[in-house]
Amino acid sequence: MKPRVILNAAMTLDGKIATKTGSSEISGEKDLIRVHKLRQECDAIMVGINTLLADNPRLTVHKISADPADNPIRVVVDSQARTPLNFRILSKEAPTIIAVSEKAPQERADNLLKKAEVIVCGKEKVDLDCLMENLGRRGVQTLMLEGGSTLNYSMLSAGLVHDLRVCVAPLIAGGSQAKTLVDGDGVEYMKDALRLRLKNSYTLNQDLILEYEVLN
Ligand SMILES: NC(=O)c1ccc[n+]([C@@H]2O[C@H](COP(=O)([O-])OP(=O)(O)OC[C@H]3O[C@@H](n4cnc5c(N)ncnc54)[C@H](OP(=O)(O)O)[C@@H]3O)[C@@H](O)[C@H]2O)c1
């Protein structure tokens, strides 16, 4: 069975999740604590390779717990095994899975195998259905998707996302090149847009938290 996927992101009022230079410090400290609590409730956290390369995240729950046992599995969607070997995602503080495609150079995949588990799914890009099936078989029941825009679009358009949690910060970044919550090809007509149901909303200081369920 595939995991239940919660997409979580912080964005500016104009929907940007990073500036055109990739700067992405958006939400306040209280929201960061919320994110770490949500991570702790999930079995795994997943990001795309561009997010990894831009932010070098730890993807742990270190703001709320120092116990490595509380850290979920970390998953990187990385067709070509480009994850740098010195990045924090490969630290020993949590298990890491690198999902690659058949296109990944064998030598790079072998190097990653020394520090992480490597799953091959798909011929060119990572086949997300295959990856979700694989994670489900490993007992991953809930997965937190933490971007970026390209992976968010692929996961949403494949019908693999069940819930969204968005922090809207009181900021406007602008920039047609700046990444938004969801990029990708997009739909042609608004009637084809993905429909959501607002389940809950609240504020954390100046940040607005919105919780949605995906309907179709
Ligand atoms: N504010 C926030 O909450 C937040 C959260 C996360 C990220 N961000 C920001 O988002 C930016 C990165 O977003 P991004 O859109 O450039 O990249 P991304 O979604 O992080 O990564 C996309 C890459 O993943 C790989 N991939 C492999 N299989 C895929 C598939 N089936 N579908 C989609 N992607 C697949 C592709 O690279 P390969 O073909 O090389 O594998 C693709 O280019 C960064 O600036 C980061 O700071 C912000």
Side-chain angles (χ1 to χ4, degrees), residues 7-12 16-27 31 35 46-55 76-82 99-101 103 121 124-129 145-155 167 179-181 183-184:
L7 190 167
N8 185 83
M11 67 178 201
T12 60
K16 311 295 185 192
I17 62 165
T19 65
K20 62 183 173 185
T21 63
S23 158
S24 63
E25 300 81 16
I26 293 174
S27 54
D31 184 60
V35 169
M46 184 168 93
V47 294
I49 181 64
N50 292 353
T51 294
L52 187 81
L53 294 175
D55 302 341
V76 186
V77 177
D78 176 14
S79 316
Q80 306 200 52
R82 291 191 289 142
V100 303
S101 73
K103 221 176 148 191
C121 275
E124 299 279 328
K125 294 281 174 195
V126 173
D127 179 330
L128 298 170
D129 254 308
L145 170 60
E146 290 204 47
S149 332
T150 310
L151 185 59
N152 287 350
Y153 180 75
S154 295
M155 287 288 289
C167 164
K179 296 277 171 190
T180 63
L181 178 63
D183 286 337

Side-chain angles (χ1 to χ4, degrees), residues 65-132:
S65 167
D67 183 355
D70 287 336
N71 289 326
I73 301 168
R74 303 173 290 192
V75 182
V76 186
V77 177
D78 176 14
S79 316
Q80 306 200 52
R82 291 191 289 142
T83 298
L85 294 173
N86 61 350
F87 264 33
R88 304 196 295 179
I89 198 98
L90 296 172
S91 69
K92 290 197 168 73
E93 56 195 335
T96 302
I97 294 173
I98 312 290
V100 303
S101 73
E102 290 169 19
K103 221 176 148 191
Q106 192 60 48
E107 193 186 340
R108 288 216 292 261
D110 286 346
N111 284 336
L112 284 171
L113 260 177
K114 292 173 195 154
K115 297 188 164 195
E117 223 176 307
V118 176
I119 296 178
V120 184
C121 275
K123 289 197 186 325
E124 299 279 328
K125 294 281 174 195
V126 173
D127 179 330
L128 298 170
D129 254 308
C130 159
L131 176 59
M132 291 305 112

Side-chain angles (χ1 to χ4, degrees), residues 151-172:
L151 185 59
N152 287 350
Y153 180 75
S154 295
M155 287 288 289
L156 281 163
S157 55
L160 294 169
V161 178
H162 305 85
D163 292 283
L164 265 89
R165 308 266 172 100
V166 180
C167 164
V168 183
L171 298 167
I172 291 181

